[in-house]
Amino acid sequence: MDPLDRIKRNKAFIFLYWCARIGMGITFIISGIRKLPGIKFTTLPIDNPVGAYFNAMYETGFYWNAIGYIQIIIGVLLFFNRFVVISSILMMPVVINIFLISIALYMQGTPIITSAMVLGNTFLITWHFKNYRSLFLRPID
């Protein structure tokens, strides 16, 4: 039995897995809804760097809405066992981008939350490593 199988049988890790999965799914759905047409993500003024960034993203229109729809889709897919592997992989670039933005804009406290999101997403990907490990362990022809 490999170490990952032992971890997956530990009740504390099973609880942590479900907390990460449900928490990330709900977070993505709520954050995605905030990007739908007509809804601004923040009410900060544009003289604030965070407000200016989110206002510029909001003003792009379709791109801002597309990010929201993608977040909603990924968040919903996390609740289905069939799609949890692909959704956790698709989520990683979005989560890393959110983390980097929170650092670049010096958002107070947000880097702590977004780093937890990166760790949670890494945990989900690691949990399902057997589903795609052949991509890394077999030579590509």
Side-chain angles (χ1 to χ4, degrees):
M1 179 184 305
D2 70 36
L4 187 58
D5 286 332
R6 281 194 302 252
I7 289 171
K8 289 170 94 171
R9 291 179 185 207
N10 183 315
K11 290 183 190 275
F13 282 109
I14 293 170
F15 178 75
L16 183 62
Y17 167 78
W18 281 103
C19 286
R21 189 169 158 184
I22 293 168
M24 296 288 284
I26 290 171
T27 301
F28 258 54
I29 292 168
I30 291 170
S31 179
I33 289 171
R34 299 280 304 163
K35 292 176 182 75
L36 294 181
I39 302 173
K40 286 200 171 197
F41 191 76
T42 183
T43 58
L44 292 171
I46 60 172
D47 61 341
N48 180 310
V50 177
Y53 174 79
F54 283 111
N55 186 58
M57 289 289 288
Y58 177 78
E59 292 296 326
T60 63
F62 172 75
Y63 181 67
W64 181 248
N65 300 139
I67 292 170
Y69 289 124
I70 289 168
Q71 283 184 301
I72 293 169
I73 291 167
I74 291 171
V76 168
L77 290 178
L78 270 175
F79 291 103
F80 296 97
N81 286 333
R82 177 178 288 276
F83 301 109
V84 71
V85 174
I86 190 72
S87 61
S88 59
I89 291 171
L90 290 172
M91 186 187 322
M92 188 56 96
V94 178
V95 170
I96 289 173
N97 189 37
I98 294 168
F99 174 69
L100 293 174
I101 289 167
S102 70
I103 290 174
L105 295 177
Y106 305 105
M107 296 180 179
Q108 294 179 330
T110 307
I112 296 168
I113 296 166
T114 57
S115 63
M117 290 173 67
V118 171
L119 289 174
N121 200 128
T122 303
F123 180 73
L124 291 177
I125 288 172
T126 304
W127 189 272
H128 293 285
F129 181 69
K130 283 189 174 185
N131 294 66
Y132 51 87
R133 73 174 168 194
S134 64
L135 296 171
F136 301 104
L137 299 179
R138 284 191 208 159
I140 298 173
D141 294 335

